[in-house]
Structure formats: structure tokens, C-alpha cells
Amino acid sequence: SQLFADARFVESMWHTAYFTVLAVVLPIVFGTAAALVFHREFPFRGLLRTVFVMPMMATPVAVALVWTMMFHPQLGVLNYLLSLIGIGPQPWVYDPATVIPTLILVEVWHWTPLVMLIVLGGLAGLPKEPYESALIDGASDWHMFRHITLPLVWPFIMVAIVIRTIDALKAFDTIFVITQGGPDNSTVTMVMAMFREAFTLFRLGNAAAIAITLLVVLILVNAVQLALFRDREAA
């Protein structure tokens, strides 16, 4: 009860929820779209697919260090590229209002390839008969995706959602390297709060309580996701 009375911990829960929703939804959307693109035949598909999955091979700390340099307000390449098209410098991770969306940019770049590979595995095993029948009936590409492709690959998308949710809820490496919880504690998630309580303030009891709370949240969120998945399968 003392933990939930702490305004800083409650704030860290909101930060965690905000970060998790964006870090799950955007890679799922972009990864699924990329899987649909790479499922089609086109020149240099193998080479481009290899290039696309390369970010996933890097460690989170290495990725964070590279992006930290890119986000630098004066020396960063991102602001330089924006200046070429007439857009002024952006604060990126140096403003509480933009820091979490900026971290999500890193998450999307790093983990969209994982979602793409999972969904691509589902697309590779799709039967051809429903598509042939739909073409005979004059169905559009959107209707085939909505009524054939999406229901058939939904189990694979659900696997990607569960994996990304677990990973986002316990995200630490990228946030710690890029922001250390700042600015103004605007990126202190539950894991960051646990780290500070344990290794900065040496309040091990509080850190253990946060760890247990995070475990409960993980279990509950995944239980809800799996229940929704079972309901959709039953339908």
C-alpha cells in the first residue's frame, strides 16, 4: 500500500503503460506491413529482407549508443537531415514531451524486423485455395487481406504481440543508456524505478516490491491477451 501511495511509483506505472502501448502497437503494424511486402515476389527481395532484419541482430546497448549520438541537438545527424528539408532542430530525448515517442522510434527500428519474421512465417504457410476462390469471385486485395490473410495469420501476430508486450514492459537497456530516466524523470519506468531503489537508494525492500508488482502486471496482461486470443479462435 505504501508503494502505491508513492506518487513517483504511480508515475512510473503510467510511463510504463505509455511506453508499452506504443512499443507494441507500432512494431506490430509496421512489421505486419513489411511481412506482406516481403511475401511478394520482386527483384532483390532476399537482399532487401536481409538488410531489413539487420537492426534486430544488434544488442540493445549498442543500438542505444548509436541513437544517442544521432539524437544530439547540435552534432546529431537527425537534426542535420531535418535542416536539409527546412525543419528546425528537434529536442528528441531532451524534452519530457518528446522523449518517450523518441524512444519508441528506436524500439520500432530495432524490433519491427522480429515481428516481420514471425508474421512472414505465418504467411509462408497459407493455403492458396481461398485466394483462388476469392479472385474468381472478384474480391479486392483489401477484402482478401481482411477476410482471408488476417484471420489465418492472426495466431502468429498474437505471438508477436505477447513477445513484444513482455519485452516492452521490462525494457531497461535502451532507456537507461539514452536517458537514465530523464529528463525530469519522464522516462522512469517500473524497471528503472526498481533499479534506482535497489542500486542508487539501496532500498531493497521497495525494489523487491516493485519487482513483484511488475511480475503481477506481466502475468495479468499476458493472461488477458491469451484470453482474447482464445475467444477470437473460438469465434
Side-chain angles (χ1 to χ4, degrees):
S1 60
Q2 290 182 351
L3 190 63
F4 288 96
D6 186 346
R8 291 174 300 178
F9 174 71
V10 174
E11 188 179 27
S12 75
M13 294 186 69
W14 283 112
H15 294 160
T16 302
Y18 180 26
F19 180 88
T20 299
V21 169
L22 293 179
V24 172
V25 172
L26 294 181
I28 292 297
V29 171
F30 293 133
T32 301
L36 293 171
V37 171
F38 285 114
H39 184 59
R40 297 175 178 270
E41 294 286 345
F42 58 86
F44 306 109
R45 182 181 68 161
L47 175 62
L48 293 175
R49 190 161 54 187
T50 301
V51 172
F52 190 84
V53 301
M54 286 180 67
M56 188 182 68
M57 303 176 187
T59 63
V61 172
V63 169
L65 289 172
V66 170
W67 280 91
T68 299
M69 292 185 288
M70 294 172 66
F71 291 139
H72 193 280
Q74 283 81 41
L75 305 176
V77 67
L78 292 182
N79 277 342
Y80 170 72
L81 293 175
L82 290 178
S83 69
L84 297 179
I85 56 176
I87 299 177
Q90 301 299 309
W92 302 113
V93 295
Y94 300 96
D95 186 335
T98 59
V99 62
I100 289 184
T102 301
L103 291 174
I104 295 302
L105 173 64
V106 181
E107 288 287 304
V108 169
W109 180 84
H110 196 192
W111 295 116
T112 293
L114 174 64
V115 177
M116 186 272 289
L117 289 176
I118 294 173
V119 178
L120 197 60
L123 291 172
L126 293 183
K128 295 182 180 179
E129 291 79 8
Y131 294 95
E132 294 171 351
S133 300
L135 285 173
I136 293 173
D137 293 337
S140 64
D141 288 343
W142 165 249
H143 280 89
M144 286 191 287
F145 170 74
R146 173 68 180 84
H147 298 288
I148 301 175
T149 305
L150 188 59
L152 290 176
V153 300
W154 179 251
F156 296 87
I157 295 175
M158 194 65 213
V159 169
I161 290 173
V162 171
I163 292 174
R164 283 300 307 138
T165 300
I166 294 172
D167 192 52
L169 281 171
K170 63 183 183 64
F172 175 78
D173 316 57
T174 304
I175 298 173
F176 182 77
V177 172
I178 296 178
T179 69
Q180 292 83 45
D184 297 330
N185 295 323
S186 56
T187 55
V188 175
T189 59
M190 292 176 68
V191 178
M192 283 291 297
M194 180 175 63
F195 176 84
R196 285 188 174 183
E197 291 289 335
F199 300 108
T200 303
L201 303 174
F202 300 104
R203 298 192 293 216
L204 300 183
N206 286 353
I210 295 173
I212 294 172
T213 304
L214 180 60
L215 176 61
V216 171
V217 169
L218 276 167
I219 293 172
L220 291 176
V221 170
N222 288 147
V224 170
Q225 289 176 331
L226 293 175
L228 292 174
F229 173 62
R230 284 195 296 268
D231 289 343
R232 186 182 179 94
E233 286 292 291

